[in-house]
C-alpha cells in the first residue's frame, strides 16, 4: 500500500537554484554512510558551494524528487565528454531508500538520456555497494559492472526500462 501512496505523491521535476535550501536540508537528513556512498568522501554535511553545482551542472541536468513540500532525493545526468555517454548519480534520503524513489528517479534520468541521445549511463560506486545495480534492475534498465580504479563502474543502458516523459523537456539541457 505504501508504494501506491508513493507513486501518487512523489513529484519529479527539474532542480533549480531555488531548491538550494531544500537540497542542503536533504543532505543534512542523510547519514554519513549515505553521503559516503554518494560522494566517496567522509563528510557530515555538504559544502554550500557544492549545492549550487548540484543544481546547475554545467554539462547536464538535475532532477529532484519531492513529497509534499520536502525534497527526498536528487539525481544528476552529466555529459562525460565521450560521445553518447553521461554520468548518472543519485542521492535518496535514508528514510526513503528501498521504497522505489531511486528507481523512479533513475527511470526519469534514463528518459532524459534517451532524449539527449545518450547510449550509456555510467555511475561510480564503492565496490561493496550494490544499491545502484539493484536500482537499475528495479527500473528495468540493463546494467553491467566492472572494477576500475578501485571503484565499481556501473554501465546502464538507458534505452531499456519504462518509457516516461523526459523531465528535462521542461527546461532543456544546459
Amino acid at each position: 500500500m505504501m508504494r501506491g501512496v508513493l507513486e501518487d505523491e512523489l513529484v519529479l521535476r527539474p532542480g533549480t537554484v531555488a531548491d538550494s535550501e531544500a537540497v542542503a536540508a536533504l543532505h543534512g537528513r542523510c547519514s554519513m554512510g549515505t553521503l559516503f556512498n554518494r560522494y566517496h568522501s567522509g563528510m557530515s554535511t555538504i559544502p554550500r558551494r557544492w549545492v549550487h553545482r548540484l543544481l546547475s551542472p554545467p554539462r547536464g541536468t538535475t532532477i529532484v524528487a519531492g513529497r509534499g513540500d520536502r525534497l527526498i532525493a536528487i539525481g544528476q545526468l552529466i555529459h562525460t565528454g565521450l560521445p553518447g555517454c553521461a554520468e548518472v548519480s543519485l542521492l535518496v534520503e535514508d528514510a526513503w531508500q528501498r521504497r522505489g524513489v531511486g528507481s523512479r528517479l533513475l527511470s526519469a534520468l534514463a528518459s532524459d538520456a534517451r532524449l539527449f541521445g545518450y547510449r550509456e549511463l555510467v555511475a561510480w560506486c564503492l565496490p561493496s555497494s550494490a544499491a545502484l545495480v539493484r536500482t537499475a534492475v528495479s527500473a528495468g534498465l540493463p546494467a553491467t559492472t566492472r572494477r576500475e580504479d578501485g571503484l565499481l563502474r556501473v554501465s546502464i543502458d538507458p534505452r531499456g526500462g519504462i518509457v516516461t516523459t523526459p523531465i528535462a523537456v521542461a527546461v532543456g539541457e544546459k
Side-chain angles (χ1 to χ4, degrees):
M1 181 163 179
M2 180 56 79
R3 185 173 277 281
V5 170
L6 177 62
E7 288 174 5
D8 293 341
E9 296 182 12
L10 186 69
V11 175
L12 301 177
R13 62 173 177 76
T16 68
V17 292
D19 295 313
S20 294
E21 290 302 316
V23 168
L26 162 65
H27 282 77
R29 291 188 304 272
C30 290
S31 67
M32 286 186 70
T34 293
L35 293 175
F36 191 83
N37 283 333
R38 166 59 181 87
Y39 297 106
H40 310 160
S41 173
M43 66 172 87
S44 57
T45 60
I46 185 171
R48 286 289 184 178
R49 66 184 182 278
W50 287 17
V51 173
H52 179 74
R53 186 77 158 194
L54 287 172
L55 292 166
S56 296
R59 298 179 326 267
T61 60
T62 298
I63 297 175
V64 294
R67 187 157 187 258
D69 61 351
R70 184 171 172 163
L71 291 186
I72 60 172
I74 185 172
Q76 287 188 297
L77 187 66
I78 309 291
H79 188 264
T80 62
L82 300 173
C85 183
E87 185 171 349
V88 66
S89 62
L90 304 173
L91 178 71
V92 177
E93 182 178 334
D94 295 57
W96 290 96
Q97 293 175 11
R98 295 182 180 259
R99 294 173 69 181
V101 175
S103 298
R104 294 260 321 267
L105 193 54
L106 185 58
S107 185
L109 290 166
S111 291
D112 284 356
R114 287 190 294 271
L115 175 72
F116 301 138
Y118 297 126
R119 296 178 310 280
E120 179 185 31
L121 302 179
V122 174
W124 298 95
C125 304
L126 299 174
S128 61
S129 177
L132 190 59
V133 175
R134 282 193 310 267
T135 301
V137 168
S138 293
L141 298 165
T144 59
T145 62
R146 74 173 185 244
R147 287 186 184 252
E148 193 173 302
D149 297 328
L151 294 172
L152 187 65
R153 183 186 190 275
V154 181
S155 176
I156 301 168
D157 185 344
R159 297 167 292 188
I162 300 165
V163 176
T164 61
T165 302
I167 302 293
V169 168
V171 294
E173 185 178 24
K174 295 175 184 145

